[in-house]
Amino acid sequence: LQLYCDFSGYSDMAVGMGRMLGFEFLENFHYPYLAKSATEFWRRWHISLGSWFREYLYIPLGGNRVKAPRLVFNLFVVWACTGIWHGASWNFLLWGLYYFVIVVFERFFFSKVLNKLPGWVGHVYGLFIVMVGWALFAVEDFAAMELYLKAMFGMGAGLLDGDFLYYLRSYLPILVIAILAATPLAKTLWYKAPARARQVAIPVLALAGLALATAYLVDGTYNPFLYFRF
C-alpha cells in the first residue's frame, strides 16, 4: 500500500499538473490490487513503463508472434531489463526474474485454470504473488530479505508481535484509507453523489486530507519518497 499510494499518488499529481498546463497524460495505475494474476497486475501497474517496454523492446524482439522458445527468451529479456531499470542491485534483477517465471507459468500453464476458478480465488492468488514480489523489491540485503519473508509467513517473531500491534494502532486510519483508495469504491460513490454535493465536498476533503497528512508528517521523523531514486 505504501508503494502504491506513493507512486500512484505522484503519478496522479503529474496528470493533474499536466492538465493545468494543457497536457493530457494517460492514467498510470488502474487499481492494480484488484488483479487476479501477475499478468493482469502488470497491465494495471505502472502502465507507462509497461507500454514503453512492450513497444520498444518486446515487439522489436518479435513479441508473441514467434515460437514458444523465442517467446520465453523475449519475456526473459523484458523482465530482466524491467528489474535492472529499477536499480543496479541484485534484488531488483531477482524481482524482475521472479515475475518472468510467474508470467511464463501463467501464460503456458495456469491461465486457463485461473479463468475457471472463482474470482476471489484469483484475487487471493494475485495478491499473494504481488506481496512476495514486493519483499524482493524492497529489501536489498539478502539476509534481511530472508528475515522479512519469514516474518510474512509467521516464522520467527510471528504475525502478532509488539511491533505489529504498535504500527497497527498508530497507522490504522491511514491503513483504512489506503485500502479503500486501492479500490474503485470511493470513485463509484463520488460519481453517484449529486453534483452540488461534490462541489461542497471538494474543499472539505482537500482540507481534511491536508490536515491528516500534516499531522502524520509532524509525528514522523523520516518520510522518504520511495520512488525518488527511480
Side-chain angles (χ1 to χ4, degrees):
L1 286 168
Q2 185 186 14
L3 282 164
Y4 171 60
C5 293
D6 183 271
F7 196 7
S8 179
Y10 98 64
S11 295
D12 288 342
M13 290 158 59
V15 171
M17 289 187 288
R19 192 168 296 173
M20 292 163 68
L21 296 171
F23 296 97
E24 290 287 336
F25 295 137
L26 297 176
E27 184 180 24
N28 205 28
F29 291 84
H30 184 61
Y31 302 111
Y33 290 143
L34 298 184
K36 298 174 183 176
S37 66
T39 304
E40 184 186 355
F41 175 80
W42 277 99
R43 293 195 191 106
R44 293 170 173 266
W45 179 277
H46 202 167
I47 297 169
S48 59
L49 179 67
S51 299
W52 193 93
F53 272 116
R54 182 176 64 253
E55 295 174 14
Y56 290 97
L57 190 59
Y58 183 65
I59 292 176
L61 284 171
N64 56 6
R65 297 182 178 181
V66 292
K67 294 182 179 179
R70 175 69 188 197
L71 174 58
V72 172
F73 173 77
N74 293 348
L75 290 170
F76 171 80
V77 172
V78 169
W79 283 107
C81 289
T82 300
I84 295 171
W85 180 88
H86 283 84
S89 178
W90 286 110
N91 70 300
F92 292 123
L93 178 60
L94 177 64
W95 174 75
L97 296 180
Y98 166 81
Y99 271 107
F100 158 70
V101 172
I102 299 297
V103 168
V104 168
F105 175 72
E106 289 182 357
R107 188 181 190 97
F108 289 101
F109 306 105
F110 199 44
S111 60
K112 292 182 179 179
V113 177
L114 270 177
N115 292 333
K116 295 178 181 179
L117 294 173
W120 68 268
V121 176
H123 188 210
V124 170
Y125 159 78
L127 281 178
F128 175 81
I129 294 296
V130 170
M131 293 306 110
V132 173
W134 284 142
L136 306 181
F137 181 89
V139 186
E140 295 186 19
D141 180 77
F142 282 96
M145 186 187 297
E146 181 183 357
L147 296 174
Y148 202 105
L149 289 168
K150 283 183 176 180
M152 287 174 64
F153 287 94
M155 302 165 64
L159 295 174
L160 296 175
D161 63 356
D163 286 345
F164 172 83
L165 295 174
Y166 168 76
Y167 284 117
L168 183 64
R169 287 193 302 269
S170 300
Y171 294 98
L172 186 60
I174 288 290
L175 182 62
V176 172
I177 292 171
I179 291 171
L180 292 175
T183 74
L185 177 62
K187 182 178 180 180
T188 302
L189 294 175
W190 178 261
Y191 285 109
K192 284 184 177 180
R196 179 60 181 167
R198 295 202 300 268
Q199 289 177 349
V200 174
I202 286 174
V204 173
L205 290 172
L207 288 172
L210 177 62
L212 186 63
T214 303
Y216 274 102
L217 283 169
V218 171
D219 180 63
T221 56
Y222 179 54
N223 299 282
F225 176 42
L226 294 177
Y227 267 81
F228 178 77
R229 57 180 170 164
F230 305 129

